[in-house]
């Protein structure tokens, strides 16, 4: 006679595996839909290059369950906030313009840039190295995740996101952010190429005139 407890355990495992497979399929569908949106935005990039970057940020925040996603661009020795998806306090935005993020260990953005890899801070208020409490006090974030944006082995920016509660991002969400950073870097390259072509065209026009 079959052991009832063994049957119950097997049923539980099957149910758990089925639930996990269903979730993985659901996640894959959402990711595929996000990729289609980004590809569509790339097709419209000639008219509006920033549309691609906005789409990347929006989909990154949505799929990773973040309140806010941010794009920082490297300008000289500091990172300047370029784009945001989600609601941020205006006082935070204005303050950040005057106090940009530095490439050091004091922030998730700085660490991602320093090490050229993804960094997570599970709780900025419980991290000895975190030095941007000035920003935390103005925005209220607790958990942060950041990954570098790289073009031809050169760092051009950092994609970051946060949660206002202490809830670390899991491995799948980290991988998603890294994929979005690659797509964002491609969009930046396309934007720069179009700006260069536009500049060259105006230069030629002035010579003809």
């Amino acid at each position: 006679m079959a052991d009832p407890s063994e049957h119950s355990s097997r049923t539980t495992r099957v149910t758990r595996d089925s639930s996990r497979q269903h979730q993985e399929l659901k996640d894959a569908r959402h990711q595929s839909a996000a990729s289609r949106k980004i590809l569509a935005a790339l097709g419209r990039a000639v008219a509006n290059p920033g549309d691609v970057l906005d789409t990347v940020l929006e989909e990154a925040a949505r799929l990773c369950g973040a309140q806010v996603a941010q794009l920082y661009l490297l300008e000289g020795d500091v990172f300047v906030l370029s784009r945001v998806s989600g609601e941020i306090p205006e006082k935070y935005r204005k303050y950040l313009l005057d106090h940009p993020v530095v490439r050091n260990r004091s922030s998730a953005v700085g660490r991602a840039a320093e090490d050229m890899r993804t960094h997570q801070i599970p709780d900025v208020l419980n991290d000895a190295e975190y030095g941007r409490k000035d920003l935390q006090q103005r925005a209220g974030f607790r958990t942060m995740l950041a990954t570098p944006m790289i073009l031809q082995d050169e760092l051009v920016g950092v994609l970051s996101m946060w949660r206002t509660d202490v809830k670390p991002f899991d491995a799948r969400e980290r991988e998603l952010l890294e994929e979005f950073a690659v797509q964002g870097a491609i969009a930046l390259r396309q934007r720069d190429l179009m700006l260069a072509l536009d500049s060259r065209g105006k230069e030629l026009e002035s010579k003809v005139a």
Side-chain angles (χ1 to χ4, degrees):
M1 177 180 294
D3 186 349
S5 63
E6 182 180 344
H7 176 73
S8 176
S9 178
R10 186 164 56 248
T11 301
T12 300
R13 285 198 303 272
V14 170
T15 301
R16 185 170 59 245
D17 290 345
S18 176
S19 177
R20 177 176 55 79
Q21 291 171 359
H22 177 73
Q23 184 61 45
E24 288 176 352
L25 179 60
K26 183 179 180 181
D27 291 341
R29 286 173 174 168
H30 287 166
Q31 189 172 348
S32 177
S35 295
R36 288 196 298 272
K37 284 185 179 180
I38 292 169
L39 286 173
L42 280 169
R44 300 191 299 269
V46 173
N48 184 10
D51 188 39
V52 186
L53 297 171
D54 289 336
T55 302
V56 166
L57 283 179
E58 290 166 7
E59 293 304 311
R62 183 176 68 84
L63 291 184
C64 294
Q67 273 89 27
V68 170
Q70 303 172 106
L71 169 63
Y72 287 88
L73 296 180
L74 182 60
E75 295 186 8
D77 297 325
V78 299
F79 288 93
V80 177
L81 184 63
S82 173
R83 279 181 159 73
V84 176
S85 176
E87 296 295 325
I88 63 171
E90 189 59 30
K91 61 182 179 180
Y92 166 83
R93 188 192 295 269
K94 290 179 178 178
Y95 183 83
L96 194 51
L97 288 175
D98 296 326
H99 303 81
V101 177
V102 180
R103 188 172 180 171
N104 58 27
R105 313 298 298 179
S106 67
S107 68
V109 169
R111 294 177 200 180
E114 282 271 279
D115 299 338
M116 297 287 274
R117 65 179 178 86
T118 303
H119 266 278
Q120 174 162 223
I121 302 180
D123 183 2
V124 297
L125 297 185
N126 193 32
D127 186 288
E129 282 190 298
Y130 186 75
R132 295 308 307 261
K133 299 277 195 328
D134 53 340
L135 296 179
Q136 193 281 331
Q137 291 168 359
R138 287 168 172 78
F141 51 79
R142 296 294 294 273
T143 295
M144 300 204 74
L145 184 68
T147 195
M149 299 175 67
I150 302 169
L151 282 175
Q152 298 176 337
D153 297 326
E154 180 182 353
L155 180 71
V156 295
V158 172
L159 199 59
S160 75
M161 55 179 52
W162 78 51
R163 288 171 174 159
T164 53
D165 52 349
V166 180
K167 184 182 178 184
F169 295 89
D170 60 28
R172 184 189 67 85
E173 291 162 342
R174 290 172 66 110
E175 291 174 2
L176 278 172
L177 184 63
E178 289 167 356
E179 290 177 14
F180 282 121
V182 171
Q183 293 168 327
I186 293 172
L188 281 174
R189 176 185 292 162
Q190 188 169 8
R191 183 203 64 176
D192 291 344
L193 285 173
M194 284 188 290
L195 289 174
L197 286 172
D198 183 59
S199 176
R200 180 59 177 163
K202 290 179 180 177
E203 182 183 333
L204 291 172
E205 286 178 4
S206 66
K207 289 181 177 179
V208 171

